[in-house]
Amino acid sequence: MRVCDGVRIVLAGLVGLALLPAGAALAQTDEPAWDPVTEERLLAPEDGDWMSFRRTYDVTGFSPLDQIDRDNVGDLQLVWAYSMRDGSRWVPTPVVANGLMYVAEGSGRVTAFDVVSGDVAWIHTRSYPEDIDKSQAMNRHRGVSIYGDTIYWGTADAALVALDAQSGEQRWEVSTGDYTTGLGHTHPALIADGKVIMGFAGGDRSARGAVVAHDTETGERLWITYTVPREGEPGYETWSENEIPPLGGLTWNTISYDPELRLVYLGTGQPTPWSSTLRGPGDALYTNCILALDIDTGEIAWYFQVVPSDNWDLDATHESMLVDLVIGGVEHKALIETSKIGWGIVLDRETGRFLNAFRTGYDNLITGWTDSGSPIFNPELIPTMDDVDSDRVFEVCPHYHGARNLNSPSYSAETGLYYVGINNSCMDVSFVSEEYRPGRLYSGLAARVKMVPGYDYVGEFVAFDPVSGRRAWEYRPESGAAMTAAALATSGGIVFGGTADRRFFALDAESGELLWERRLNGDISGAPVTFEVGGRQYVAVGAGGRIGQTTSYARFTGTTIPQGTGVMWVFALPE
């Protein structure tokens, strides 16, 4: 085992009994020949590959593997597990290449595991500056990216770090921004066209949103695109003149890519301040938008604002899934985006033209959509200046953790269904005056989470027809606990998900029937992935991250939140 950066690591104890073969505490020192992760492999991965965050550039989160199927998934058994250092806001998605699985932690580590044995191949640890708490990315990390023989890691202190994929040794690093303004990286980068394309976290620290591209070989910055304008730039007229310039619009989630159109797609976060009672009237471009950027220049090809004039932190930062759909007898290069609001949006990804919207979860804020795609808000929930520091309380649904949040969806072209975990919730909101302090939350609202009136559950796992918006089926656990894991659909006719009350489950992808379930160490906080090594299909997932959907909704369903570390779990069928 290699421990990098000269830091001595005491490994956390393994969980469970007999998880590793006897004598398998350390990885073998002989390194096999490395098969480079080329651009061709990323464009068209083999069936057994999971080498990028959602496996493919279209971010459908679908695997064509079928060794594990609806008939035998009930036989899944634990192969190995490993206790990590992180146990708060840990939302891991592993990537796998050449038999090694890479897992990142927000506290500043990347660990490589031998998939078959569970041995630790290496650990790379980063030493953060003493004032790293200024970065919102600290203790929040979801993964790394791989290209060639290099691991690309965006860090909490706003750096892009290149590591040797076989040894974990650092090759180079470059600064990507100023972490003291709140900026940092929580999400793995998109690697495409020789570029490392990254977004930033920091929206709760009043940072200015941006997306940046660096050269994969040298780390040189190639372009940067800001997501809120300065005076004289397009979109500035949609903000009110204020004591602070436009801020917000952070880009902390998944980036997708259409190599034919040469467009990258990403969502942007809420404006700063959150409430128009502090910010003033106006749509506040380009916050709460879906953006299409030219991969060569970073220029905005088109935008679609999902929630203009936001007052509730109901942002649109979530992934734009790229699928081809037949709508009204016409085949469209489409884009599907579901986010905090209880709606899904379907756009033409070439032009950004609105195609349709479908309801995903309970909401009382948006009553419908215009033909051009503007949301129609319930006027009773729009605050005025008279409401500031008053006794008025608005019941807004959903809560700002959203109908969905970090738990990514999955789409199967075989069933034509879009799978996602949904959480139904509301919040009591009051609007308050507030003084702007750089680097601090500047919202203008106070909110208290609550159950949906008349509901006895929070979470449900739902399969949608994205063309009609119809629910094909839904699965609701008896506990009613929140959905926390990303979805994973496969050619085996199954779809995986997970809950706040420790349940990792597999459902029939066509009917929603529960086929298999295991209770793990904590909330199923990560994204399950599946891959093949040596002819054997594995399923891996992280649990115990104590994410926001867990901590906010747990008391409504009697869910106990374990206080231990996060754990990586790896399952397979018996040999």
Side-chain angles (χ1 to χ4, degrees):
M1 179 191 73
R2 293 178 176 84
V3 179
C4 302
D5 279 2
V7 179
R8 181 175 177 84
I9 301 295
V10 180
L11 298 182
L14 298 176
V15 296
L17 297 177
L19 299 183
L20 293 180
L26 298 178
Q28 299 298 315
T29 57
D30 293 335
E31 295 176 349
W34 183 265
D35 185 10
V37 178
T38 63
E39 186 161 352
E40 289 71 26
R41 290 183 72 186
L42 293 176
L43 280 166
E46 297 290 334
D47 287 357
D49 289 339
W50 199 289
M51 297 185 299
S52 59
F53 183 71
R54 297 301 289 158
R55 186 175 176 273
T56 48
Y57 284 143
D58 56 17
V59 301
T60 55
F62 175 82
S63 170
L65 293 179
D66 61 3
Q67 186 180 107
I68 301 169
D69 60 28
R70 58 169 56 95
D71 295 323
N72 61 25
V73 67
D75 297 328
L76 273 185
Q77 64 181 23
L78 182 64
V79 178
W80 58 266
Y82 188 84
S83 296
M84 307 297 291
R85 183 165 70 179
D86 283 10
S88 178
R89 297 299 190 263
W90 184 56
V91 192
T93 298
V95 292
V96 178
N98 298 322
L100 292 179
M101 182 172 75
Y102 302 93
V103 180
E105 296 176 273
S107 55
R109 298 200 313 177
V110 178
T111 301
F113 297 95
D114 181 283
V115 167
V116 175
S117 67
D119 292 348
V120 173
W122 53 258
I123 297 174
H124 181 95
T125 299
R126 184 171 180 82
S127 298
Y128 282 131
E130 292 183 357
D131 60 349
I132 188 59
D133 286 344
K134 292 180 178 179
S135 168
Q136 193 183 347
M138 182 57 184
N139 291 326
R140 303 165 185 255
H141 209 277
R142 293 185 279 281
V144 295
S145 305
I146 186 168
Y147 178 65
D149 62 352
T150 302
I151 297 295
Y152 296 90
W153 179 30
T155 68
D157 55 342
L160 171 60
V161 176
L163 307 176
D164 184 294
Q166 292 180 276
S167 69
E169 294 174 0
Q170 182 168 317
R171 290 176 168 165
W172 50 258
E173 74 172 271
V174 294
S175 174
T176 59
D178 183 358
Y179 74 89
T180 66
T181 67
L183 290 175
H185 301 292
T186 58
H187 208 76
L190 169 75
I191 310 291
D193 194 46
K195 300 176 180 67
V196 185
I197 303 173
M198 312 170 72
F200 293 86
D204 294 344
R205 304 291 174 86
S206 302
R208 184 188 184 197
V211 57
V212 65
H214 288 255
D215 184 90
T216 55
E217 294 297 323
T218 65
E220 177 190 1
R221 177 182 288 181
L222 302 176
W223 51 256
I224 185 168
T225 299
Y226 291 100
T227 57
V228 293
R230 288 293 180 254
E231 187 173 0
E233 297 176 347
Y236 185 79
E237 71 281 357
T238 66
W239 293 74
S240 292
E241 290 286 347
N242 211 318
E243 60 189 282
I244 62 170
L247 294 173
L250 274 297
T251 53
W252 48 264
N253 215 314
T254 308
I255 303 174
S256 53
Y257 175 51
D258 186 323
E260 294 182 1
L261 300 177
R262 296 189 63 76
L263 293 177
V264 295
Y265 305 87
L266 65 149
T268 64
Q270 77 280 357
T272 295
W274 295 2
S275 169
S276 65
T277 57
L278 290 182
R279 192 177 65 245
D283 287 348
L285 290 175
Y286 297 93
T287 65
N288 292 2
C289 280
I290 299 167
L291 300 181
L293 306 182
D294 184 303
I295 194 170
D296 295 313
T297 65
E299 292 182 2
I300 298 175
W302 58 257
Y303 72 90
F304 180 91
Q305 193 167 34
V306 181
V307 183
S309 304
D310 187 11
N311 284 289
W312 315 274
D313 185 24
L314 292 175
D315 60 61
T317 324
H318 304 82
E319 67 285 292
S320 295
M321 183 186 289
L322 312 182
V323 296
D324 295 338
L325 299 175
V326 177
I327 301 174
V330 178
E331 185 170 350
H332 292 272
K333 288 183 178 296
L335 174 159
I336 308 170
E337 193 257 14
T338 55
S339 56
K340 290 183 178 182
I341 60 172
W343 292 83
I345 307 298
V346 184
L347 306 179
D348 184 305
R349 68 176 180 268
E350 294 185 85
T351 65
R353 182 169 64 89
F354 176 77
L355 298 176
N356 72 291
F358 59 94
R359 191 182 296 275
T360 59
Y362 185 85
D363 95 294
N364 67 354
L365 180 62
I366 297 174
T367 60
W369 299 80
T370 66
D371 290 342
S372 62
S374 295
I376 302 169
F377 292 119
N378 179 350
E380 296 182 0
L381 299 180
I382 307 297
T384 69
M385 292 305 298
D386 291 338
D387 299 315
V388 177
D389 297 329
S390 72
D391 294 331
R392 185 173 182 185
V393 176
F394 297 79
E395 183 181 77
V396 178
C397 312
H399 178 259
Y400 61 66
H401 281 325
R404 63 150 293 222
N405 203 301
L406 295 174
N407 47 311
S408 299
S410 184
Y411 175 81
S412 169
E414 296 175 3
T415 63
L417 296 177
Y418 178 97
Y419 306 95
V420 65
I422 294 296
N423 291 316
N424 299 283
S425 65
C426 297
M427 57 182 173
D428 284 337
V429 180
S430 56
F431 292 88
V432 298
S433 56
E434 193 172 333
E435 181 180 352
Y436 172 66
R437 290 183 292 171
R440 300 290 186 91
L441 179 66
Y442 187 43
S443 67
L445 61 88
R448 181 177 64 86
V449 64
K450 60 189 294 187
M451 288 279 282
V452 174
Y455 277 44
D456 62 357
Y457 64 92
V458 173
E460 52 184 344
F461 193 91
V462 187
F464 293 97
D465 180 333
V467 176
S468 67
R470 176 185 62 89
R471 284 188 172 206
W473 51 258
E474 64 267 330
Y475 164 73
R476 295 174 187 159
E478 290 185 7
S479 66
M483 292 289 157
T484 51
L488 166 63
T490 78
S491 279
I494 51 181
V495 57
F496 291 91
T499 62
D501 65 341
R502 303 189 286 128
R503 299 179 189 274
F504 183 42
F505 58 77
L507 309 175
D508 187 297
E510 293 184 350
S511 68
E513 176 189 357
L514 179 64
L515 302 174
W516 174 85
E517 181 180 77
R518 288 293 181 274
R519 295 200 82 174
L520 304 183
N521 63 297
D523 54 337
I524 315 304
S525 55
V529 302
T530 188
F531 47 87
E532 185 178 81
V533 175
R536 191 181 192 191
Q537 183 182 352
Y538 296 84
V539 177
V541 71
R546 298 201 296 276
I547 60 176
Q549 300 99 294
T550 300
T551 55
S552 291
Y553 302 140
R555 65 183 182 274
F556 299 127
T557 56
T559 298
T560 300
I561 305 173
Q563 298 300 302
T565 65
V567 175
M568 283 305 307
W569 301 83
V570 178
F571 299 89
L573 295 174
E575 289 187 291

